Every structure is written in structure tokens, then in C-alpha cells.
């Protein structure tokens, strides 16, 4: 697979290409932990969701949570990846106060999911395919709290043992925009699948970002890894900073040391956390408490058959069935909630195929525009999907014009109500009565002989007449009828 070209960095000695690979940690959506029955609920009292297994009491044995396995397989299928019918859990040994076992149960040489790929959306409607190296299951650690009291630290084990999927990309990304688009798309796929809620603020999805630079197309450079990023914007900023830092070092005659770095959002800088020499030796070995994970072809096939429609498929369907542009279809499917909203509008339309495109315009331009302006989420939209469908129906069938529909949208947004009843009650119907329109047309023509002369020379000036007639009808005249009448009366 060839990676999409990215934005090069101009150095003092020439151009540099940035190479990025991401390790994303996604918390598995599951009620209980990977190897215990303790709750995964967010925000409980410290140490209130901790079983004896999570606290690593002597003699406790892990028991695999089937739901987490199912979710990992479903995720692998959603990433078009190889599902490994046999995988192994290993112990990754290190000492840390928030890791009571003294090791993390993870997967090393034999992960549950192998190679896959995802298509990411880039600017200008372009797409790029990014390779997935692997996906493995592992336990999360607890949390050390150093800010509660000045003289002691505390440990909260609520997260200890929660299932994570580590999703490792190939080094296929070439600039900050691509990396951001990758995380956005991956998050969207996980949310469609319902395998991770994608809540980055809560840390339920976070990324380690590996960055190196090289001469365009040259051999790979040494990478630095920026740990634990939980904002897509910060990921972009960290990459921009880190790539420049590496270029400057190399151009000054230095070399890049492989190291782990942290991003400081206040300064917009990355700084060293530990170098390769200080890196842990994890002494991985298969966990003797757990059997290898094995499942049948039939199990995988069943999960595959039950997968929901994913964003790429939905986008393709919107384009082929309803004639949406790739851009519009992409906007609608980007978030599961907006796609669901649009689909509910479609279900409520009287003529889904005829008006599907019109409905897409209304969702994207009017509804999203208005929601953005007020900083609201689609789940808190004052205009419901059936209401929006009714507005679109009224335009589609010619009862109201697009312009009146905007007023109607405004009325529904602020006061609610049934759009059809509102049109009736407020006399908002479009005038298709030709004699009424004809009168308005005649009036405008006789009052403006100079404009009549102009339009004969320059037919495009008819728009001025259309505007005047629409204005005099309070926007209610049928624009097509106005156009037709004007053309015949003006003789153009
Ligand atoms: P580790 O756990 O040692 O960081 P992984 O294999 O889990 O190793 O992850 C390595 C990540 O670094 C992958 O996402 C990979 O694409 C990326 N990567 C590898 N080599 C480079 C490189 N030269 N520049 C940028 N990213 C790289
Ligand atoms: Mg790493």
C-alpha cells in the first residue's frame, strides 16, 4: 500500500517528509472488566469498582470476559482486519503503584486481530487508506492521585482491569491533517460498532503518536513517541511541533534519539519523558493463568453477519440511492448520531428518493448550521427529524417555497408545532394561482419601463423582476410560475 502524500516541511537544507504511526487505546464498551465482574462505570467513589482480582489479592485468578472478546472481534471486522482464531495473553511486567499485579495482562506475539485497513477522509473530498498493524486486548491500570494531600499519594483502582483495545496503525500517515483524520475516522467506526464510546475527554480513547522525519521517499527516520494524547486537536499540534523540532536537530548536524515524549498543551511543545536507554524491559511471557483464546470460524462469521452498517457503506448507499455528493454523504455519516437523524428524516418523507437530496441539504445547511451557531448537540435539536421531514415534504410538493420554509424552520425551532398545521394556520402557502401572480407581474412590468428595456438587451436581468414579484407576494409566489410568466410577458 502506498501512503497518501502529505504536506512537506520546508527546512533550510530542503524538504522533509513526516512519518506518523499511532497506537490508539480504546476502552471496550462492556459492563464489566476484562478479567473480573467489577463494574466499568465512570465516576464512582474511588476504589468502589474493585474486585479481589482487580486488587491482585493472592490466589485470585483472572476469568476472561466473553463480551470483551466479542467486542474486539467485532472491531477487527469493522477494520477489515484478519481475525486470529487463536491468540495468547501475555504478562507485561513492570512495577508501578497503580498496577497491583506487578504486571499488565496484554497480548504480544499473538494478538486477537492482525492486519487491516481504514479509509480516511481528507480535504477536498480526497481519501487515503491507512494500514492497521494489529489490535490486541489488554488491561487498563489504576490511577495515582498526587493532588489530594500534600504529604501522601493515593491510588484509585476503579479503572484497574478495565478492557482496552490497543489499535496500532502502520506508519502510513504523512502529516498532522492525515493523523487527525485517521483518529476521527477510527473513532467514528468504533462508535458505529458500539465497541468504544470514543469519549476522549474521559480518556476512553487516547493515542500514543509516533513521529519521525525523512527526505521525501527516503528510508525511515528514528521515531519519537508522544504519549497519551486525548484530544484530536492536540494530536495535530504535537505532530507539527515535534516534526519541526526533529528537522531542526538534524539540520543542525544532530541525530534523533528514540524516546518517549509528553505534549504540553499550554506551551504547545513536546518534552522528553524517558529515552530508549531508560525504556522498560517488560519480560513478556504467556500468562500461565489463562488458556490461549480460541474460537471457531462460525463464531466469527456470525459476528460479521450481525455488524451494523458502517460509515463507508452508509456513505456509498446515500450516494447511490439518493444521489448525494461524496461531500454531503461524508458530512452526514461522520457521526453516528447525525446519520441516524438523517435516516429518521428519510423514513418520515413522503417521497424519499425524490426529496432525499433536498432533505440532506436541509439537515446539513439549516439544521447543522443552526446547531453549530448555538453550540448545541444534535441530540438537543429543537427541530425533530419528523418535523424536518414535514418541512421538506412541504417544499417538495410545492406547498411552500424554500424561502418560506426558512421562516417555517425558524418558527418550529423556537416554538415547536406541526409544520403542516402551522403553514395552514399562518397562511404560508405558496401562491400557484396564476391570475394572482400575473397581476403582480403586470404591475412590476408597467412600473419599470427602464428595466424592461434593459432586460431585452441582457436577459439575465430577469432575476431582478423575479425578485420584485417574489417580494410583492411576500415570498409566497411559486418561483417557477413567476419565471415562466415573466419570460413570456417580456418576450425573452
Ligand atoms: P512500541 O510499543 O515499541 O511503540 P508498536 O509496534 O506497538 O511499538 O508501535 C509502533 C508504532 O510506531 C506503530 O504505530 C508504527 O506505525 C509506528 N512507527 C514505527 N516506525 C516508525 C517511524 N520510523 N516513524 C513513525 N512511526 C513509526
Ligand atoms: Mg509505542
Amino acid at each position: 500500500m502506498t501512503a497518501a502524500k502529505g504536506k512537506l516541511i520546508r527546512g533550510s537544507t530542503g524538504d522533509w517528509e513526516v512519518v506518523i504511526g499511532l497506537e490508539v487505546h480504546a476502552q471496550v464498551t462492556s459492563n464489566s472488566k476484562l478479567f473480573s465482574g467489577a463494574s466499568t462505570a465512570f465516576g464512582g467513589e474511588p476504589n468502589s469498582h474493585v474486585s479481589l482480582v482487580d486488587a491482585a489479592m493472592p490466589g485470585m485468578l483472572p476469568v476472561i470476559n466473553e463480551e470483551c472478546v466479542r467486542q474486539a472481534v467485532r472491531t477487527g471486522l469493522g477494520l477489515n482486519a484478519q481475525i486470529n482464531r487463536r491468540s495468547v495473553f501475555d504478562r507485561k511486567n513492570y512495577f508501578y503503584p497503580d498496577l497491583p499485579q506487578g504486571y499488565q495482562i496484554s497480548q504480544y506475539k499473538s494478538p486477537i486481530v492482525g492486519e487491516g485497513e481504514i479509509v480516511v477522509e481528507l480535504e477536498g473530498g480526497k481519501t487515503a487508506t491507512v494500514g492497521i498493524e494489529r489490535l490486541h486486548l489488554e488491561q487498563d491500570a489504576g490511577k495515582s492521585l498526587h493532588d489530594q494531600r500534600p504529604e501522601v499519594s493515593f491510588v484509585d483502582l476503579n479503572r484497574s482491569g478495565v478492557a482496552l483495545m490497543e489499535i496500532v496503525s502502520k506508519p502510513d500517515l504523512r502529516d498532522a491533517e492525515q493523523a487527525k483524520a485517521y483518529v476521527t475516522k477510527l473513532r467514528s467506526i468504533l462508535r458505529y460498532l458500539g465497541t468504544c464510546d470514543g469519549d476522549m475527554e474521559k480518556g476512553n480513547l487516547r493515542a500514543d503518536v509516533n513521529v519521525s522525519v525523512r527526505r521525501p521517499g527516503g528510508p525511515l527516520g528514528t521515531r519519537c513517541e508522544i504519549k497519551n494524547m486525548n484530544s484530536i486537536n492536540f494530536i495535530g499540534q504535537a505532530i507539527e511541533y515535534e516534526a519541526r523540532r526533529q528537522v531542526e536537530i538534524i539540520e543542525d548536524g544532530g541525530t534523533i534519539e528514540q524516546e518517549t515524549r509528553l505534549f504540553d498543551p499550554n506551551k504547545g511543545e513536546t518534552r522528553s519523558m524517558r529515552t530508549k536507554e531508560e525504556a522498560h524491559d517488560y519480560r513478556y511471557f504467556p500468562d500461565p493463568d489463562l488458556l490461549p483464546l480460541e474460537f471457531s470460524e462460525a463464531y466469527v462469521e456470525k459476528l460479521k453477519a450481525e455488524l451494523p452498517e458502517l460509515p463507508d457503506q452508509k456513505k456509498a448507499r446515500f450516494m447511490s440511492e439518493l444521489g448525494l455528493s461524496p461531500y454531503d454523504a461524508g458530512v452526514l455519516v461522520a457521526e453516528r448520531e447525525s446519520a441516524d437523524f438523517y435516516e429518521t428524516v428519510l423514513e418520515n418523507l413522503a417521497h424519499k428518493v425524490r426529496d432525499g437530496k433536498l432533505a440532506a441539504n436541509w439537515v446539513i445547511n439549516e439544521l447543522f448550521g443552526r446547531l453549530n451557531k448555538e453550540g448545541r448537540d444534535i441530540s438537543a435539536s429543537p427541530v425533530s427529524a419528523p418535523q424536518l421531514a414535514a418541512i421538506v415534504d412541504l417544499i417538495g410538493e410545492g406547498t411552500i417555497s424554500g424561502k418560506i420554509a426558512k421562516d417555517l424552520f425558524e418558527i418550529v425551532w423556537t416554538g415547536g408545532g406541526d409544520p403542516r398545521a402551522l403553514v395552514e394556520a399562518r397562511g404560508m402557502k405558496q401562491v400557484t394561482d396564476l391570475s394572482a401572480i400575473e397581476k403582480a407581474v403586470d404591475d412590476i412590468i408597467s412600473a419599470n419601463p427602464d428595466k424592461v428595456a434593459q432586460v431585452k438587451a441582457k436577459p439575465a436581468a430577469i432575476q431582478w423582476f423575479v425578485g420584485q414579484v417574489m417580494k410583492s407576494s411576500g415570498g409566497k409566489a411559486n418561483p417557477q410560475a413567476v419565471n415562466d410568466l415573466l419570460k413570456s410577458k417580456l418576450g425573452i
Side-chain angles (χ1 to χ4, degrees):
M1 188 181 338
T2 47
K5 287 201 167 52
K7 207 176 74 200
L8 298 179
I9 293 185
R10 171 139 305 161
S12 55
T13 61
D15 285 344
W16 296 87
E17 186 175 40
V18 189
V19 174
I20 306 153
L22 275 80
E23 299 156 74
V24 169
H25 289 92
Q27 180 176 327
V28 176
T29 299
S30 148
N31 292 330
S32 51
K33 297 183 180 179
L34 184 53
F35 298 112
S36 86
S39 165
T40 58
F42 182 79
E45 279 288 295
N47 298 307
S48 60
H49 301 321
V50 186
S51 75
L52 295 172
V53 174
D54 310 320
M57 288 297 155
M60 291 299 114
L61 290 175
V63 177
I64 185 78
N65 178 342
E66 196 184 330
E67 175 61 9
C68 297
V69 172
R70 198 180 77 93
Q71 292 286 54
V73 172
R74 293 179 68 242
T75 305
L77 292 168
L79 302 176
N80 300 307
Q82 165 74 35
I83 307 299
N84 294 327
R85 301 243 312 271
R86 184 177 195 277
S87 66
V88 175
F89 284 105
D90 295 283
R91 289 187 181 177
K92 182 179 180 180
N93 297 279
Y94 61 100
F95 178 75
Y96 213 72
D98 59 23
L99 187 75
Q101 285 169 152
Y103 58 84
Q104 176 192 32
I105 305 179
S106 180
Q107 297 188 302
Y108 187 50
K109 290 207 174 114
S110 307
I112 188 166
V113 174
E115 292 187 334
E117 59 182 37
I118 70 178
V119 176
V120 302
E121 271 75 28
L122 303 176
E123 259 172 46
K126 278 191 259 170
T127 59
T129 306
V130 179
I132 302 290
E133 182 68 46
R134 56 189 267 145
L135 175 157
H136 66 253
L137 275 169
E138 63 183 28
Q139 302 174 296
D140 204 351
K143 199 168 152 195
S144 296
L145 307 165
H146 305 295
D147 55 359
Q148 309 286 306
R149 291 236 305 261
E151 75 285 15
V152 287
S153 290
F154 291 94
V155 175
D156 176 6
L157 294 182
N158 280 354
R159 281 193 93 105
S160 168
V162 165
L164 301 178
M165 296 179 281
E166 177 169 334
I167 303 161
V168 182
S169 86
K170 303 208 168 184
D172 284 349
L173 299 156
R174 293 290 173 269
D175 62 23
E177 284 314 311
Q178 291 183 16
K180 286 164 69 176
Y182 169 78
V183 179
T184 303
K185 186 60 178 284
L186 176 59
R187 179 172 176 274
S188 165
I189 293 172
L190 296 175
R191 283 163 51 81
Y192 268 75
L193 289 164
T195 58
C196 168
D197 69 12
D199 190 334
M200 298 186 76
E201 271 171 35
K202 285 192 189 143
N204 295 351
L205 191 136
R206 47 196 199 261
D208 299 342
V209 183
N210 295 271
V211 180
S212 65
V213 296
R214 66 177 180 185
R215 291 297 184 190
L220 284 179
T222 303
R223 67 183 158 113
C224 290
E225 178 176 1
I226 312 158
K227 276 277 179 203
N228 246 331
M229 308 282 310
N230 65 351
S231 137
I232 292 178
N233 276 335
F234 289 162
I235 289 173
Q237 290 173 28
I239 292 169
E240 302 269 1
Y241 176 87
E242 179 60 19
R244 288 226 155 260
R245 185 188 74 87
Q246 294 183 13
V247 166
E248 276 166 29
I249 290 174
I250 300 170
E251 290 194 328
D252 282 350
T255 48
I256 303 302
E257 303 291 330
Q258 187 173 341
E259 61 179 357
T260 304
R261 300 178 68 84
L262 281 182
F263 179 67
D264 178 343
N266 295 320
K267 295 198 176 131
E269 296 172 0
T270 64
R271 59 167 187 271
S272 183
M273 190 175 138
R274 59 171 182 259
T275 59
K276 200 182 175 190
E277 285 73 56
E278 302 162 57
H280 300 288
D281 172 5
Y282 292 117
R283 294 169 289 123
Y284 279 100
F285 65 89
D287 191 315
D289 291 339
L290 289 158
L291 288 170
L293 204 56
E294 290 184 8
F295 30 76
S296 64
E297 183 78 41
Y299 173 76
V300 179
E301 285 308 315
K302 182 161 185 294
L303 292 183
K304 191 172 187 174
E306 290 166 2
L307 284 188
E309 188 179 42
L310 292 174
D312 290 341
Q313 300 159 330
K314 214 183 263 301
K315 179 177 170 186
R317 183 167 60 81
F318 286 168
M319 288 165 62
S320 66
E321 280 182 8
L322 304 164
L324 301 196
S325 69
Y327 178 82
D328 284 355
V331 171
L332 290 169
V333 304
E335 288 283 344
R336 185 179 173 166
E337 287 76 8
S338 17
D340 286 348
F341 187 97
Y342 176 61
E343 298 222 67
T344 314
V345 173
L346 290 178
E347 280 163 25
N348 282 278
L349 284 181
H351 299 277
K352 175 174 149 177
V353 174
R354 185 192 71 190
D355 294 338
K357 215 167 158 176
L358 183 62
N361 288 339
W362 272 79
V363 172
I364 294 170
N365 299 322
E366 302 308 319
L367 185 73
F368 290 176
R370 189 66 197 267
L371 289 169
N372 277 343
K373 213 163 92 189
E374 298 200 5
R376 281 186 194 235
D377 221 54
I378 192 147
S379 59
S381 169
V383 176
S384 70
Q387 283 171 322
L388 195 66
I391 297 177
V392 173
D393 274 347
L394 289 161
I395 309 168
E397 73 198 26
T399 304
I400 59 174
S401 66
K403 188 173 170 298
I404 292 288
K406 290 189 183 180
D407 297 341
L408 179 61
F409 179 83
E410 196 55 38
I411 295 167
V412 177
W413 179 280
T414 43
D418 170 23
R420 195 169 285 279
L422 284 165
V423 165
E424 206 60 58
R426 298 190 181 214
M428 296 169 91
K429 276 194 181 165
Q430 180 161 261
V431 179
T432 36
D433 171 6
L434 281 186
S435 61
I437 298 175
E438 191 168 4
K439 168 138 197 341
V441 166
D442 287 342
D443 290 351
I444 302 286
I445 288 179
S446 61
N448 296 281
D450 51 331
K451 298 275 181 190
V452 174
Q454 275 175 26
V455 82
K456 302 240 190 236
K458 199 170 138 250
I462 194 171
Q463 283 316 317
W464 180 86
F465 285 92
V466 176
Q468 294 300 306
V469 178
M470 292 305 289
K471 207 162 131 191
S472 80
S473 74
K476 285 191 245 161
N478 179 318
Q480 191 56 48
V482 173
N483 246 300
D484 293 347
L485 267 170
L486 276 168
K487 276 189 185 152
S488 79
K489 299 237 171 199
L490 291 167
I492 53 174

